[in-house]
């Protein structure tokens, strides 16, 4: 009997050609870049990365992975705990056909514990890897690593400083969930002082016509430097201590954990840690089309009963992180 010829469900070559750029400008100028701060992104670059992330989603849904970064190696160096950021960078690299040296939860087993400097560790890893992702407790550590390295360094969180790739996935999530960014009222709740994700997200939102609401305890207000940038932009922005002031009008409620590890006085942490808890009751006061986000981990700020609410987007946000990181890795490695 003659074998039935199966029609391919889609054209893999076409998909790979699309992922390879189809003649587009090479990675929109991102090739070889270190990604250290959201200050490096304008609306053009954001649109480029978001477009690529959407293509990555499509690709993963259809074929799970491709060989775009075959033979390329990522070193993942984490001096602070991480679940999502490290796992999503690893998944991103592997779905693009590359491989990973993970020095994550086990940093205590590396030469770092013997007293090696960050610069030496970086200069070592670049002998093996084409790109380095770094999380470190000190502000400016990623920049310092980038100066030491000849390969691109991606900042996965420098202490209470920035977390640019998280902010990119956060903004991408807002766009995917709400269909737009301009015109939205975004409320950020919790630890705005030490939370690096809200620092980076606020700076990215300055490229858009948004209203901003900052909800925090007095001791955890958004740093003055960032508030000044917000004011200079002339955006409608207000600070408050009370979620009740913002819940009815917010389009995006971005909730954060109080960053216990940044407190030198634990009594002070205990005083503020449970100040805001998002509950189904509070959600009843919010708009029907609104989105609740959280970079995770949560430690009680959003009650688990909220998870079933279709407005709870924090796990969809996690998935978006992988697509954004796929887009970024492809871009810095020159696969436009
Ligand atoms: C955040 C971080 O590490 O800054 N987590 C993350 O990357 N998803 C938020 C946090 O730890 O509270």
């Amino acid at each position: 009997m003659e074998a039935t010829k199966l029609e391919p469900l889609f054209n893999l070559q076409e998909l790979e050609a699309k992922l390879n750029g189809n003649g587009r400008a090479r990675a929109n100028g991102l090739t070889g870049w270190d990604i250290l701060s959201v200050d490096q992104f304008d609306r053009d670059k954001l649109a480029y990365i978001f477009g690529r992330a959407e293509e990555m989603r499509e690709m993963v849904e259809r074929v799970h992975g491709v060989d775009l970064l075959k033979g390329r190696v990522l070193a993942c160096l984490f001096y602070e705990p991480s679940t999502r950021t490290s796992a999503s960078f690893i998944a991103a690299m592997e779905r693009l056909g590359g491989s990973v040296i993970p020095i994550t939860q086990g940093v205590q087993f590396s030469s770092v514990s013997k007293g090696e400097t960050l610069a030496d560790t970086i200069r070592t890893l670049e002998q093996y890897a084409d790109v380095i992702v770094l999380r470190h407790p000190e502000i400016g550590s990623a920049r310092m690593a980038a100066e030491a390295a000849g390969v691109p360094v991606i900042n996965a969180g420098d202490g209470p400083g920035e977390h640019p790739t998280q902010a990119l996935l956060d903004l991408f999530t807002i766009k995917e969930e709400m269909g737009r960014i301009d015109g939205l009222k975004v409320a950020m709740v919790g630890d705005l002082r030490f939370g690096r994700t809200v620092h980076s997200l606020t700076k990215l939102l300055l490229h858009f016509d948004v209203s901003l609401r900052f909800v925090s305890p007095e001791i955890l207000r958004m740093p003055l430097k960032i508030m000044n940038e917000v004011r200079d932009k002339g955006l409608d922005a207000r600070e408050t201590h009370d979620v009740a002031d913002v819940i009815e009008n917010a389009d995006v409620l971005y909730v954060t954990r109080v960053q216990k590890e940044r407190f030198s006085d634990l009594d002070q942490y205990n005083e503020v840690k449970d100040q805001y808890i998002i509950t189904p009751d509070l959600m009843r006061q919010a708009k029907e089309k609104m989105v609740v986000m959280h970079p995770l981990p949560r430690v009680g700020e959003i009650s688990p009963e909220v998870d079933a609410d279709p407005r709870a987007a924090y796990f969809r946000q996690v998935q978006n992180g992988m697509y954004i990181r796929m887009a970024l890795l492809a871009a810095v490695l020159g696969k436009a």
Side-chain angles (χ1 to χ4, degrees):
M1 197 178 94
E2 206 181 317
T4 324
K5 189 169 175 292
L6 290 176
E7 279 301 316
L9 288 173
F10 58 88
N11 185 333
L12 186 57
Q13 264 168 347
E14 207 176 84
L15 191 65
E16 285 198 337
K18 195 171 162 197
L19 287 171
N20 265 312
N22 273 343
R24 238 174 319 183
R26 273 177 75 79
N28 201 3
L30 290 162
T31 305
W33 261 35
D34 301 304
I35 297 178
L36 305 177
S37 161
V38 288
D39 294 341
Q40 295 168 272
F41 290 84
D42 54 19
R43 272 181 90 131
D44 253 14
K45 286 205 166 42
L46 291 172
Y48 171 77
I49 289 296
F50 292 173
R52 299 282 290 154
E54 265 155 29
E55 287 170 15
M56 294 299 179
R57 181 202 301 281
E58 190 188 330
M59 183 277 285
V60 169
E61 282 170 0
R62 288 161 113 184
V63 289
H64 310 290
V66 287
D67 279 342
L68 195 68
L69 297 182
K70 190 168 190 295
R72 304 299 187 98
V73 176
L74 160 71
C76 226
L77 179 61
F78 279 61
Y79 292 80
E80 279 189 342
S82 167
T83 301
R84 279 148 290 269
T85 307
S86 56
S88 65
F89 266 113
I90 294 170
M93 195 64 185
E94 295 194 345
R95 288 206 186 255
L96 291 174
S99 49
V100 184
I101 306 170
I103 308 180
T104 51
Q105 318 299 357
V107 114
Q108 69 270 29
F109 302 116
S110 73
S111 286
V112 166
S113 66
K114 300 182 190 167
E116 185 168 61
T117 63
L118 177 61
D120 280 3
T121 305
I122 293 288
R123 278 190 211 120
T124 300
L125 290 177
E126 72 172 335
Q127 309 303 319
Y128 313 127
D130 304 290
V131 53
I132 297 171
V133 171
L134 172 71
R135 170 171 288 185
H136 193 281
E138 275 163 48
I139 292 189
S141 49
R143 192 166 299 279
M144 200 276 244
E147 274 158 24
V151 301
V153 170
I154 301 179
N155 181 5
D158 60 331
E162 278 215 43
H163 194 347
T165 67
Q166 177 74 40
L168 291 168
L169 79 89
D170 291 342
L171 193 65
F172 179 63
T173 302
I174 294 175
K175 185 176 161 283
E176 296 285 293
E177 295 282 327
M178 301 300 290
R180 67 195 165 110
I181 299 167
D182 285 313
L184 296 181
K185 190 166 275 181
V186 181
M188 299 185 201
V189 181
D191 187 347
L192 308 185
R193 177 179 174 195
F194 297 123
R196 53 196 171 199
T197 73
V198 282
H199 300 165
S200 292
L201 180 59
T202 301
K203 293 209 268 177
L204 271 192
L205 283 167
L206 297 184
H207 295 291
F208 298 84
D209 178 20
V210 289
S211 299
L212 296 171
R213 298 291 177 265
F214 300 107
V215 187
S216 73
E218 183 58 31
I219 59 164
L220 297 179
R221 284 169 64 182
M222 184 62 86
L224 198 60
K225 188 168 175 288
I226 297 179
M227 287 311 291
N228 286 338
E229 285 182 47
V230 172
R231 302 244 149 80
D232 289 348
K233 276 276 166 184
L235 291 181
D236 165 35
R238 255 172 269 164
E239 294 181 272
T240 167
H241 299 317
D242 200 346
V243 187
D245 293 341
V246 306
I247 191 72
E248 278 173 30
N249 292 317
D251 298 299
V252 177
L253 192 70
Y254 188 100
V255 187
T256 64
R257 167 181 75 90
V258 177
Q259 309 274 300
K260 184 178 183 183
E261 65 274 35
R262 315 274 180 230
F263 281 74
S264 45
D265 176 355
L266 271 190
D267 288 340
Q268 218 175 33
Y269 165 75
N270 286 322
E271 260 167 51
V272 290
K273 74 178 169 50
D274 293 323
Q275 195 141 335
Y276 308 112
I277 299 175
I278 310 303
T279 59
D281 251 1
L282 195 73
M283 291 296 287
R284 272 189 275 282
Q285 299 168 45
K287 286 185 182 174
E288 214 171 297
K289 185 161 171 48
M290 177 254 221
V291 64
V292 186
M293 296 172 57
H294 193 304
L296 302 178
R298 64 174 153 180
V299 288
E301 315 77 49
I302 303 181
S303 107
E305 293 114 80
V306 175
D307 298 1
D309 190 312
R311 293 168 291 183
Y314 25 93
F315 291 107
R316 298 193 288 276
Q317 189 181 346
V318 169
Q319 189 182 103
N320 288 337
M322 183 176 75
Y323 304 131
I324 284 289
R325 287 168 177 136
M326 289 170 81
L328 288 171
L329 287 170
V332 299
L333 292 173
K335 294 291 183 179

